[in-house]
């Protein structure tokens, strides 16, 4: 099962499906270009009150902030728009990119004195294979395939335009949100009450 | 006095667990594989397909097997890191004999000496105390071929009735319930039915951590608009996004199911045509739930009545639905009752034998399904035959070429074997692929029992904590060192392929058993040159039984990416979905409803022990941890047990996140850090059980068993909790060092 460039496969993150199992973290280490090092982030959002976890691969911005702020011009994009780890001979280990990335992706590896980051498994995707994390992800919170495959099988709207203050960022990787056809998302607005607010009925009136 | 030859520290220093961090040669070895072997994960009952990369008789990595239809390349972290159990510094490579004067407490001996010692001790004990004074405990991580062989080995070579398997601690309540109600012990559906369900109800199964790949099937159903109901004392990761959460108090599942049946009857959400044509005893079930109102059930279960009504409405009115259950409802002294009351819901609404319809267990262990079918259960012979049935015995005797009288009768189940070792009647034990020192309830009692054995031989690839008590340790084989078949949780027979040969002097498990049989003077029954010859015999032995494998060949299994049993006779296509013709496996073809009255667990909370304890697993560890506690990446993920508790309970106790607490039951106590979360019932604490000794949750659990399945009550015990002083930090150590591997 391989993809050609005509298939134009996309990478999709659906945080709501993440089960926090860390298969992606473990599998990332097995990737040929950064063996033994995991470059994916898996955040525990608020472990005291929820099992919600959030996997984060590089979003591969069209105009990457990390590259903009790099004083050594060490961060390059491939023709396909993949933002690479800092070039070893150029990287000065300043961590500007680590601080500037709006998604918190780059990792400064002190032992190497180099920034490394998710490169969408270049060794695999260049051969038409899925990246390691999206291959193994048991819940398919991390997903790789064509737009048609996505639309045929999955729920949720795809989003790749973000605003951070006045900065507008368009990414190659998509994230999944509720139905966008009903209008723009108000991420600061309230949400519907669900049983999650009171999973054990501690606040509900006795029957 | 303990039989462990030296201190635990000394045993651990010599035999581990040590951590394997990287593939052979290190991460930067820069060498590719010289071959890639299509096989399956060695862990849970899902048996995901995986490709192992091999070089120079070592597994050096993995590659997703996208073409295998069950998991299409998906793996959990255990599957990703499973290959690191190979080339491991703790690997046993020579036979060992207990010797307190030797470094580490064991001295290496020759195979001849080790095997002769085993045979000599077995003969000595049996001559003095009878054949049944030697027992065998086995496990269902073993292939069908080995399971079949062990069943035959215990009966014909050891000539003991007392063989049982570790499924007794896993899914045996489901098997017992399935047989009673449906006449067959197999998952009712292939997993491809899950996406076709309009309601998916997950009861007592932390799917995200214990069967991670199954979450993708559930999401496929939800992408079609299915409702998800999760029933669990904890808001487990899958529950976080469920449409309805039923936060049951441990040990009350049958009350909840009973109240749902009451609602189905009250609102006439019943499939009368199905009930009339395909079932009997509906009246018994109806009578048993006549008083089970949602108000009554709410009092018992702690689930708000309105949620029980909602669950009943969704289940009762949806055209299709799947109810998936696992250890949460099964590892109880009423595990069988829970399963039967769940099956009642499927039968009442006609949700069997159709696409997207079924009530099924999610089998826990790798070959939990196949391993329990072919004779290493104390009451069974191959093909799911009954060892007390004269016709079944005669048929198997004809296959084995023995006199029917040579096959011993029904033995005692695993927990009773341990009790009988403790009481001194069983004096000798051979174990394979079973680590009761960690996995059995009431660990202090289990340890005492192992210490009382006159002789204990363990077949192990790593020295397990049970092996610490052994007189002789025989180095057997890892999953990837032998070939054969397994049967996954969905009833799919799959092919396990050998990637490497056993290292050093270690041998394939079946070669060890054949050698022992020969030395016991019973070699005439065990003339196999290959594993495939055992499978060919298994096909014949299973023919005509419920679990009929006669049409399956190794070749077809590989070509067709697995075959679903029953598969009676050459050319049969297999049976992915059971009961499609409306026929169940009882002689009259009808399923049985069961009247299930509610009863409390063997132990209930009181003033002295006021908190419920439930135990279970975490995603990065597998069962007793013999393999997964030796893999660095998995240990990093969840290094030690934590006691999950609600902030309300923590406040009462005056403890905060990371504070150490002592948890005490009537059987033992342990001290561990508190993990304070709002995702657990305030009256319940949860502790995972993968660790030995002072870190073992089974020090606290109750060895009371279900009367029918003989399953101990791992899921319900009463405890008290007190602050122990001191703090442990529960931050993920990996977050503190992003630089380079391990600190």
């Amino acid at each position: 099962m391989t993809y050609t460039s005509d298939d134009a496969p996309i990478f999709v993150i659906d945080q709501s499906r993440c089960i926090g199992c860390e298969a992606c973290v473990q599998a990332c280490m097995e990737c040929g270009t950064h063996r033994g090092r995991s470059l994916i982030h898996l955040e525990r959002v608020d472990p005291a009150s929820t099992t919600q976890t959030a996997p984060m691969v590089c979003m591969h911005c069209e105009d990457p902030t990390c590259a903009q702020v790099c004083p050594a011009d060490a961060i390059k994009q491939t023709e396909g728009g993949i933002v690479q780890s800092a070039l070893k001979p150029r990287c000065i280990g300043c961590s500007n990119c680590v601080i500037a990335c709006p998604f918190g992706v780059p990792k400064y590896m002190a032992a190497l004195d180099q920034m490394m980051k998710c490169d969408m498994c270049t060794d695999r995707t260049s051969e038409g294979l899925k990246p390691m994390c999206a291959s193994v992800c048991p819940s398919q919170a991390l997903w790789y395939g064509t737009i048609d495959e996505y639309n045929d099988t999955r729920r949720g709207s795809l989003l790749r335009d973000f605003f951070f203050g006045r900065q507008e960022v368009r990414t190659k990787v998509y994230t999944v949100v509720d139905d966008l056809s009903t209008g723009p998302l108000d991420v600061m607005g309230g949400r519907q009450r669900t049983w999650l607010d009171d999973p054990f009925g501690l606040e509900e009136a006795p029957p | 006095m303990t039989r462990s030859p030296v201190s635990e520290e000394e045993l651990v220093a010599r035999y581990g667990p040590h951590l394997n961090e990287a593939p052979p040669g290190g991460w930067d070895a820069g060498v590719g594989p010289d071959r890639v072997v299509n096989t399956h994960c060695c862990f849970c009952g899902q048996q995901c397909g995986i490709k192992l990369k091999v070089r120079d008789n070592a597994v050096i990595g993995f590659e997703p097997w996208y073409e295998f239809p069950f998991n299409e390349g998906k793996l959990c972290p255990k599957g990703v890191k499973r290959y690191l159990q190979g080339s491991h510094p703790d690997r046993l490579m020579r036979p060992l004999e207990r010797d307190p004067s030797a470094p580490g407490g064991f001295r290496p001996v020759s195979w001849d000496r080790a095997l002769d010692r085993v045979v000599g001790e077995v003969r000595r004990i049996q001559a003095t105390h009878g054949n049944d004074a030697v027992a065998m405990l086995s496990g269902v991580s073993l292939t069908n071929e080995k399971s079949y062989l062990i069943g035959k080995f215990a009966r014909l070579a050891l000539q003991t009735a007392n063989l049982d398997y570790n499924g007794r601690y896993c899914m045996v309540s489901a098997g017992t319930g399935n047989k009673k109600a449906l006449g067959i012990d197999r998952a009712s559906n292939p997993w491809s039915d899950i996406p076709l369900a309009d309601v998916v109800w997950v009861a007592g199964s932390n799917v995200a951590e214990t069967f991670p790949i199954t979450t993708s099937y559930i999401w496929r159903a939800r992408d079609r608009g299915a409702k998800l109901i999760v029933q669990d004392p904890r808001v487990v990761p899958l529950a976080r996004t469920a449409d309805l959460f039923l936060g049951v108090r441990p040990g009350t599942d049958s009350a909840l199911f009973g109240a749902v049946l009451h609602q189905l009857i009250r609102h006439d959400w019943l499939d009368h045509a199905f009930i009339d044509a395909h079932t009997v005893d509906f009246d018994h079930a109806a009578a048993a739930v006549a008083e089970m109102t949602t108000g009554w059930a709410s009092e018992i279960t702690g689930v708000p009545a309105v949620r029980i009504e909602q669950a009943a409405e969704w289940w009762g009115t949806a055209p299709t639905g799947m109810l998936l259950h696992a250890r949460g409802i099964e590892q109880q002294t009423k595990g069988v009752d829970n399963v039967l009351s769940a099956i009642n819901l499927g039968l009442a609404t006609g949700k069997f034998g159709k696409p997207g319809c079924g009530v099924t267990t999610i089998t826990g262990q790798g070959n939990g399904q196949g391993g329990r079918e072919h004779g290493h259960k104390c009451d069974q012979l191959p093909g799911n035959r009954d060892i007390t049935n004269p016709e079944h015995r005669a048929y198997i005797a004809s296959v084995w070429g023995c006199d029917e009288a040579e096959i011993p009768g029904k033995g005692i189940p695993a927990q009773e074997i341990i009790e009988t070792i403790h009481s001194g009647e069983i004096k000798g034990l051979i174990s394979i692929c079973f680590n009761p020192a960690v996995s059995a309830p009431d660990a202090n009692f289990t340890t005492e029992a192992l210490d009382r054995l006159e002789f204990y031989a363990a077949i192990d690839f790593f020295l397990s904590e049970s092996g610490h008590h052994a007189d002789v340790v025989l180095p057997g084989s890892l999953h990837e060192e032998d070939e054969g078949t397994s049967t996954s949780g969905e009833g799919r027979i799959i092919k396990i392929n050998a990637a490497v040969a056993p290292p050093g002097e270690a041998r394939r498990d079946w070669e060890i058993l054949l050698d022992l049989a020969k030395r016991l003077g019973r070699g005439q029954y065990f003339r196999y040159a290959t594993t495939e010859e055992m499978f060919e015999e298994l096909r014949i032995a299973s023919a005509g039984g419920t679990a009929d494998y006669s049409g399956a060949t190794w070749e077809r299994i590989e070509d067709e990416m697995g075959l679903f049993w029953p598969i009676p006779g050459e050319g049969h296509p297999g049976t992915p979905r059971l009961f499609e013709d409306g026929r169940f496996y009882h002689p009259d073809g009808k399923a049985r409803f069961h009247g299930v009255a509610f009863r409390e667990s063997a132990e209930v909370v009181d003033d002295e022990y006021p908190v419920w304890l439930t135990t279970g697993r975490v995603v990065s560890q597998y069962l007793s941890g013999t393999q997964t506690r030796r893999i660095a990446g998995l240990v990093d993920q969840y290094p030690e047990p934590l006691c999950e508790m609600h902030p309300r309970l923590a406040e009462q106790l005056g403890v905060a996140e990371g504070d150490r607490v002592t948890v005490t039951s009537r059987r033992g106590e342990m001290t561990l850090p508190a993990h304070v979360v709002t995702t657990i019932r305030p009256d319940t604490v949860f502790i995972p059980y993968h660790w030995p000794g002072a870190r073992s949750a089974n020090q606290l659990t109750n060895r009371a068993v279900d009367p029918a399945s003989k399953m101990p009550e791992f899921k319900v015990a009463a405890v008290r909790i007190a602050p122990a002083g001191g703090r442990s930090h529960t931050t993920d150590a990996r977050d503190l060092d992003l630089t380079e591997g391990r600190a």
Side-chain angles (χ1 to χ4, degrees):
Chain A
M1 191 171 64
T2 55
Y3 295 98
T4 67
S5 54
D6 290 343
D7 295 327
I10 58 169
F11 194 108
V12 174
I13 305 178
D14 184 345
Q15 310 281 10
S16 73
R17 299 185 187 211
C18 181
I19 53 175
C21 74
E22 303 195 27
C24 54
V25 175
Q26 303 286 0
C28 186
M29 278 194 214
E30 306 293 327
C31 197
T33 47
H34 47 84
R35 285 168 61 78
R37 292 183 195 92
S38 190
L39 301 175
I40 200 162
H41 299 259
L42 186 79
E43 306 298 340
R44 281 167 213 297
V45 174
D46 178 11
S49 65
T50 174
T51 51
Q52 173 78 63
T53 42
M56 198 71 212
V57 299
C58 177
M59 299 298 285
H60 298 286
C61 303
E62 285 191 351
D63 183 9
T65 311
C66 57
Q68 290 171 24
V69 301
C70 179
D73 197 18
I75 302 171
K76 300 294 184 187
Q77 270 171 300
T78 65
E79 275 180 26
I82 298 299
V83 184
Q84 304 283 54
S85 287
L87 295 167
K88 176 71 175 144
R90 293 192 183 191
C91 182
I92 57 172
C94 69
S95 292
N96 263 9
C97 54
V98 175
I99 297 162
C101 171
F103 302 100
V105 166
K107 290 186 178 186
Y108 170 65
M109 302 289 188
L112 301 174
D113 193 23
Q114 181 191 0
M115 182 280 280
M116 293 186 75
K117 57 177 287 302
C118 158
D119 63 0
M120 193 118 317
C121 292
T122 306
D123 58 330
R124 302 180 65 81
T125 46
S126 62
E127 291 176 9
L129 291 170
K130 292 183 185 187
M132 208 46 134
C133 56
S135 294
V136 300
C137 179
S139 64
Q140 291 291 282
L142 302 176
W143 186 92
Y144 190 81
T146 66
I147 284 268
D148 288 344
E149 285 172 335
Y150 184 87
N151 290 332
D152 288 349
T153 57
R154 305 260 294 201
R155 279 195 307 189
S157 297
L158 296 176
L159 180 75
R160 60 167 176 159
D161 292 305
F162 299 86
F163 292 88
F164 297 91
R166 275 171 296 185
Q167 184 188 11
E168 184 177 352
V169 174
R170 167 163 276 213
T171 62
K172 183 176 174 67
V173 169
Y174 292 85
T175 193
V176 177
V177 293
D178 283 345
D179 194 1
L180 276 179
S181 60
T182 57
L185 282 183
D186 176 11
V187 292
M188 303 305 285
R191 64 184 177 90
Q192 270 188 310
R193 228 184 123 68
T194 75
W195 63 263
L196 262 170
D197 300 317
D198 184 19
F200 300 104
L202 302 176
E203 316 297 334
E204 286 183 26
Chain B
M1 182 204 138
T2 175
R3 274 167 51 93
S4 296
V6 293
S7 70
E8 191 182 326
E9 293 70 28
E10 203 176 331
L11 279 160
V12 169
R14 173 69 183 78
Y15 294 103
H18 297 102
L19 298 178
N20 202 12
E21 297 170 24
W27 289 109
D28 302 321
V31 292
D34 44 39
R35 62 204 168 89
V36 174
V37 177
N38 291 355
T39 186
H40 293 267
C41 180
C42 55
F43 297 126
C44 86
Q46 299 179 115
Q47 291 290 284
C48 294
I50 187 171
K51 290 171 178 259
L52 294 180
K53 296 184 191 169
V54 182
R55 185 182 181 90
D56 299 336
N57 200 40
V59 180
I60 60 168
F62 84 99
E63 179 62 26
W65 184 6
Y66 297 109
E67 295 77 18
F68 189 73
F70 175 79
N71 61 309
E72 296 175 321
K74 294 185 276 295
L75 292 167
C76 81
K78 297 182 292 294
V80 169
K81 286 290 188 267
R82 81 176 285 297
Y83 76 92
L84 289 174
Q85 70 179 353
S87 306
H88 197 288
D90 292 341
R91 183 70 164 88
L92 298 178
M93 294 202 273
R94 295 183 68 184
L96 300 172
E97 201 168 21
R98 180 175 183 272
D99 178 359
S101 69
F106 290 91
R107 68 165 180 273
V109 292
S110 69
W111 271 106
D112 272 339
R113 182 182 165 90
L115 294 169
D116 285 345
R117 171 94 194 278
V118 175
V119 168
E121 296 278 1
V122 166
R123 284 193 164 139
R124 179 186 64 77
I125 291 169
Q126 289 187 325
T128 318
H129 304 285
N131 286 354
D132 293 346
V134 173
M136 187 159 182
L137 289 172
S138 174
V140 284
S141 291
L142 300 169
T143 57
N144 289 318
E145 289 77 1
K146 289 191 222 180
S147 300
Y148 173 80
L149 177 68
I150 287 163
K152 187 174 174 185
F153 172 84
R155 273 65 174 248
L156 293 189
L158 287 178
Q159 302 178 72
T160 179
N162 291 330
L163 161 71
D164 205 38
Y165 77 133
N166 63 0
R168 194 65 66 183
Y169 296 157
C170 188
M171 59 273 141
V172 71
S173 294
T176 306
N178 287 340
K179 278 191 177 180
K180 279 176 181 260
L182 312 172
I184 187 170
D185 171 18
R186 204 209 90 178
S188 55
N189 306 70
W191 258 220
S192 55
D193 264 344
I194 297 173
L196 307 178
D198 297 320
V199 177
V200 178
W201 185 333
V202 179
S205 180
N206 182 3
V207 164
E209 296 202 67
T210 57
F211 309 105
I213 307 311
T214 296
T215 55
S216 70
Y217 283 87
I218 293 171
W219 273 108
R220 273 179 251 170
R222 304 191 77 195
D223 283 332
R224 286 183 47 255
K227 293 270 198 279
L228 173 64
I229 304 171
V230 175
Q231 170 181 339
D232 204 287
R234 297 190 297 150
V235 188
V236 286
L238 182 72
R240 181 171 53 71
T241 55
D243 298 288
L244 182 65
F245 176 68
L246 309 172
V248 282
R249 190 249 287 175
T252 64
D253 302 280
S254 64
L256 194 148
F257 290 135
V260 171
L261 182 59
H262 179 103
Q263 291 294 309
L264 297 178
I265 295 169
R266 184 168 159 241
H267 294 281
D268 197 23
W269 290 322
L270 300 170
D271 185 338
H272 293 283
F274 182 90
I275 294 170
D276 293 345
H278 302 302
T279 73
V280 297
D281 294 341
F282 175 71
D283 294 347
H284 293 188
V289 302
E291 308 295 324
M292 293 189 181
T293 62
T294 50
W296 169 85
S298 181
E299 286 284 311
I300 291 175
T301 62
V303 178
V306 62
R307 297 193 197 181
I308 303 174
E309 285 159 19
Q310 183 67 80
E313 185 186 340
W314 285 350
W315 182 258
T317 59
T320 61
M322 296 268 303
L323 194 159
L324 308 170
H325 57 81
R327 312 301 84 76
I329 75 163
E330 297 163 18
Q331 289 176 328
Q332 299 183 21
T333 50
K334 57 173 163 305
V336 176
D337 278 0
N338 289 336
V339 170
L340 291 171
S341 55
I343 291 173
N344 282 347
L345 303 184
L347 295 175
T349 54
K351 288 191 173 64
F352 274 106
K354 302 168 200 162
C357 287
V359 176
T360 186
T361 187
I362 310 175
T363 281
Q365 296 188 76
N367 193 26
Q369 180 68 56
R372 70 187 188 251
E373 296 156 4
H374 297 298
H376 67 160
K377 211 173 159 191
C378 67
D379 56 353
Q380 281 189 6
L381 290 172
N384 238 329
R385 286 184 165 87
D386 178 357
I387 201 163
T388 63
N389 179 315
E391 281 176 37
H392 292 184
R393 294 172 59 83
Y395 178 70
I396 295 301
S398 76
V399 177
W400 287 355
C402 67
D403 196 40
E404 186 249 307
E406 283 193 86
I407 301 176
K410 182 176 170 178
I412 56 177
Q415 187 55 34
E416 202 176 332
I417 287 179
I418 289 171
E419 313 247 345
T420 311
I421 292 170
H422 196 274
S423 65
E425 291 146 61
I426 291 178
K427 296 178 185 300
L429 175 68
I430 298 178
S431 75
I432 177 167
C433 198
F434 196 170
N435 186 14
V438 178
S439 62
D442 196 353
N444 296 325
F445 179 89
T446 308
T447 305
E448 271 177 30
L450 294 176
D451 285 344
R452 290 182 184 187
L453 284 163
E454 283 186 16
F455 179 75
Y456 175 18
I459 302 175
D460 260 344
F461 36 75
F462 298 122
L463 189 68
S464 68
E465 288 74 17
S466 300
H468 291 180
H469 302 262
D471 297 281
V472 172
V473 181
L474 305 172
S477 45
L478 281 166
H479 192 264
E480 54 268 38
E481 293 165 3
D482 201 356
E483 62 179 342
T485 61
S486 284
T487 306
S488 75
E490 48 173 7
R492 188 199 300 254
I493 312 163
I494 48 150
K495 180 75 197 311
I496 309 297
N497 287 315
V500 291
E505 292 179 28
R507 299 173 69 186
R508 292 173 188 87
D509 297 327
W510 61 274
E511 293 172 329
I512 299 171
L513 294 171
L514 259 51
D515 208 338
L516 280 172
K518 196 168 156 193
R519 285 166 199 250
L520 284 161
R522 308 288 281 179
Q524 71 269 31
Y525 297 119
F526 299 90
R527 298 188 197 282
Y528 309 105
T530 65
T531 328
E532 190 165 11
E533 288 179 17
M534 290 173 223
F535 187 75
E536 290 302 311
E537 189 178 298
L538 182 161
R539 289 176 62 195
I540 298 166
S542 73
T546 322
D548 192 328
Y549 281 41
S550 60
T553 62
W554 275 15
E555 193 181 357
R556 272 193 69 193
I557 292 167
E558 286 216 270
D559 289 350
E560 299 177 37
M561 299 271 188
L563 292 168
F564 292 82
W565 71 265
I567 177 164
E570 299 269 347
H572 190 283
T575 315
R577 184 184 300 122
L578 297 179
F579 323 124
E580 280 190 303
D581 52 2
R583 277 193 69 78
F584 291 85
Y585 285 73
H586 288 298
D588 61 2
K590 296 191 176 188
R592 268 90 178 121
F593 276 95
H594 283 80
V596 181
F598 177 71
R599 60 190 162 87
E600 276 291 358
S601 300
E603 186 173 65
V604 294
V605 294
D606 55 21
D607 289 346
E608 205 181 346
Y609 298 96
V611 179
W612 299 101
L613 165 72
T614 192
T615 63
R617 288 172 45 200
V618 298
V619 68
S620 50
Q621 289 291 314
Y622 184 64
L623 306 189
S624 77
T626 306
Q627 290 144 288
T628 46
R629 282 187 280 113
R630 288 181 158 85
I631 297 174
L634 299 178
V635 170
D636 288 345
Q637 214 172 311
Y638 198 109
E640 60 173 339
L642 303 174
C643 180
E644 263 185 38
M645 65 175 74
H646 193 276
R648 284 194 187 184
L649 177 59
E651 192 181 350
Q652 281 170 30
L653 298 168
V655 300
E657 174 74 16
D659 284 354
R660 294 182 73 77
V661 292
T662 298
V663 184
T664 308
S665 78
R666 288 180 175 82
R667 295 154 294 277
E669 64 170 48
M670 69 187 294
T671 297
L672 73 174
H675 183 36
V676 181
V677 292
T678 56
T679 50
I680 186 167
R681 290 175 58 91
D683 58 1
T684 302
V685 294
F686 168 85
I687 306 176
Y689 80 91
H690 308 284
W691 295 268
R695 293 181 297 158
S696 165
N698 275 324
Q699 294 174 100
L700 308 172
T701 51
N702 192 351
R703 60 195 155 82
V705 296
D706 181 288
S709 68
K710 311 299 180 185
M711 163 69 81
E713 192 144 64
F714 294 102
K715 287 291 186 273
V716 195
V719 296
R720 65 167 180 259
I721 305 170
R727 281 176 61 77
S728 296
H729 86 106
T730 52
T731 314
D732 191 328
R734 294 169 299 175
D735 290 343
L736 305 176
D737 180 12
L738 292 175
T739 52
E740 204 32 11
R742 306 178 61 74

